[in-house]
Amino acid sequence: MIHPLERPAGTRRSRAYFPELESLRGLAILLVFLYHADGILLSGAATAPTTGVAPSLPVALVRAGHTGVSLFFVLSGFLLSLPFLAAMAGEPRVAIGNFYRRRALRILPLYWLVVVAATLLNTLATGSSAPLVAGAAALVFLNTLIDFGPALWPYSIAWWSLATEVQFYLLLPLLGVFGSSPPRRRLGLLLLLFGVLAYAAYLSGHLRAASIGGQMRLNGSVVGRAPLFAAGIAAAALYRSRGEAMRAWLARRPLLARGGADLALAACFIGLAMLLRWTLSLAPGGADSRPAWRLAEALCWSGVILALLLAPLRARAVLVNPVFDRLGRWSYSIFLLHVPLLVVAIFAGRAYVPGALTAWTPGSAAVLAAVALVIVAASALTYRFIERPFLVRKARLAG
């Protein structure tokens, strides 16, 4: 049964809760699921239909559904920066130790369980020690710094983004450098300038890895995804400083209240879909050779966040509803479980019916819908019995 929107476990009563952003997590995990389902299903096709092809806009949102991970990064930038921005404005400072304890309670219990299970299963299946080494590295998020190949395939396909999140966690407290005193402001501006110059060097190709694999890891690191986190922080700063005034101003505009705000939100999604379609039209790897496009992607997603929080939307329930809310609540479990379950289901289906599950047909769509229900049910259980107890402890920690 789907219940009305409510504050989930792990959020403190003393902090603002945004049901709009919980639902956006649901949208993000839906995009990620469709992206991987499409990719794994078509991996058995004779030809690759996505190579250098510009698909329709809805298909672009699926075949470039890795943008769901980008949305997760923008949401992290927005939500996690709010206490630091409040401290910059004179509110009590953030207890860094508790910040890291809260992050650990949020991501480590289920992640470590999945890594250990994947390591043991692949070690037993291969009889090799490679999964043990790769698993040990993954436990401390070194899997994106060292290439371990397919030692933990298929479980580890999505783990790179968690390592990127952890890199962001390590950098985020630097916001505390920005303060009210002139020396702290100067130091903060110096750090900001260093970050901008480092990203400019990355965009220009002066900051790059020596190997193709190393460059792929750099593209997926906090350096390559910096605009997404930065856009989330910038949106949070705007929301904190001008949010109430902007909400009131937008509400007084009759054109926006009568559907103009909904058109603006739709324009964000259409612009994003057009951008993603362009990336798919490039040769394989072409989008990564032009990483500046992520600046536009970051602006689209931050625009969606601010529109949901501030604009007088008539069709708000399309994105903010109990279904997306539940998917958002279970999104971490879904994220960690969906790839191996998809791989097992699709490969088992191919072995049982040769030639099946290699293209989108009514039959394959029905199979994947059934697999999706299994994944959601399993994720609801892991959330209830693994995630939630630690989230309750997380909520008890002081800020």
Side-chain angles (χ1 to χ4, degrees):
M1 178 179 177
I2 300 298
H3 300 285
L5 306 186
E6 58 186 18
R7 181 184 290 262
T11 57
R12 287 172 290 163
R13 295 288 172 182
S14 60
R15 295 294 183 190
Y17 168 60
F18 304 96
E20 300 87 352
L21 305 191
E22 193 72 21
S23 287
L24 273 185
R25 282 198 182 99
L27 174 63
I29 197 59
L30 177 62
L31 289 170
V32 171
F33 172 82
L34 291 174
Y35 169 66
H36 285 134
D38 180 71
I40 297 168
L41 179 70
L42 298 182
S43 66
T47 58
T50 61
T51 303
V53 175
S56 65
L57 295 184
V59 173
L61 284 171
V62 172
R63 298 218 163 126
H66 47 70
T67 195
V69 173
S70 298
L71 175 54
F72 278 126
F73 289 159
V74 177
L75 288 170
S76 288
F78 185 98
L79 290 166
L80 296 181
S81 67
L82 283 172
F84 293 93
L85 295 171
M88 289 168 56
E91 295 185 24
R93 69 179 181 86
V94 178
I96 303 300
N98 276 356
F99 169 75
Y100 284 124
R101 291 186 190 97
R102 289 169 60 81
R103 289 296 89 207
L105 289 169
R106 178 66 190 96
I107 68 170
L108 290 183
L110 182 60
Y111 174 68
W112 276 354
L113 180 62
V114 169
V115 170
V116 169
T119 301
L120 293 177
L121 288 172
N122 278 23
T123 299
L124 292 173
T126 64
S128 166
S129 62
L132 293 174
V133 177
L139 285 174
V140 290
F141 303 101
L142 293 179
N143 47 304
T144 59
L145 300 179
I146 306 170
D147 185 8
F148 291 100
L152 294 176
W153 188 91
Y155 308 94
S156 61
I157 288 175
W159 294 355
W160 67 269
S161 61
L162 293 178
T164 305
E165 281 271 348
V166 169
Q167 294 165 17
F168 173 63
Y169 300 160
L170 295 176
L171 293 175
L172 183 59
L174 290 177
L175 277 179
V177 171
F178 294 85
S180 56
S181 66
R184 292 176 71 87
R185 284 199 300 269
R186 285 194 291 269
L187 178 58
L189 289 174
L190 185 62
L191 289 173
L192 180 62
L193 177 61
F194 175 79
V196 170
L197 290 176
Y199 188 70
Y202 167 75
L203 286 183
S204 64
H206 290 88
L207 176 61
R208 60 181 299 106
S211 65
I212 294 176
Q215 186 61 33
M216 291 177 63
R217 291 190 289 276
L218 179 62
N219 292 338
S221 72
V222 74
V223 174
R225 298 306 198 263
L228 303 167
F229 294 109
I233 295 172
L238 181 61
Y239 178 83
R240 264 195 56 84
S241 62
R242 302 293 299 163
E244 290 302 322
M246 290 176 65
R247 183 183 290 111
W249 186 88
L250 292 170
R252 292 195 299 268
R253 299 290 158 312
L255 184 61
L256 293 178
R258 293 171 185 165
D262 300 87
L263 290 176
L265 179 60
C268 287
F269 279 105
I270 293 171
L272 176 66
M274 293 176 67
L275 177 69
L276 296 173
R277 182 173 66 175
W278 171 78
T279 66
L280 292 171
S281 71
L282 302 174
D288 282 336
S289 67
R290 305 178 189 182
W293 72 272
R294 294 202 179 276
L295 293 164
E297 182 189 31
L299 289 175
C300 288
W301 281 127
S302 58
V304 168
I305 289 173
L306 290 173
L308 280 178
L309 292 178
L310 302 176
L313 297 170
R314 297 168 69 92
R316 180 175 178 273
V318 173
L319 290 177
V320 184
N321 55 65
V323 174
F324 275 157
D325 179 79
R326 283 296 170 180
L327 288 178
R329 196 160 306 192
W330 300 331
S331 60
Y332 188 53
S333 284
I334 296 172
F335 186 78
L336 288 173
L337 299 180
H338 78 283
V339 170
L341 291 178
L342 277 170
V343 168
V344 168
I346 291 175
F347 281 59
R350 289 175 186 169
Y352 184 71
V353 182
L357 297 178
T358 58
W360 283 106
T361 64
S364 64
V367 169
L368 289 180
V371 175
L373 291 176
V374 172
I375 291 170
V376 170
S379 299
L381 290 174
T382 55
Y383 173 83
R384 174 64 181 84
F385 294 107
I386 299 174
E387 287 189 72
R388 196 177 187 282
F390 291 96
L391 292 175
V392 171
R393 293 184 61 186
K394 168 179 170 285
R396 293 173 183 157
L397 287 175

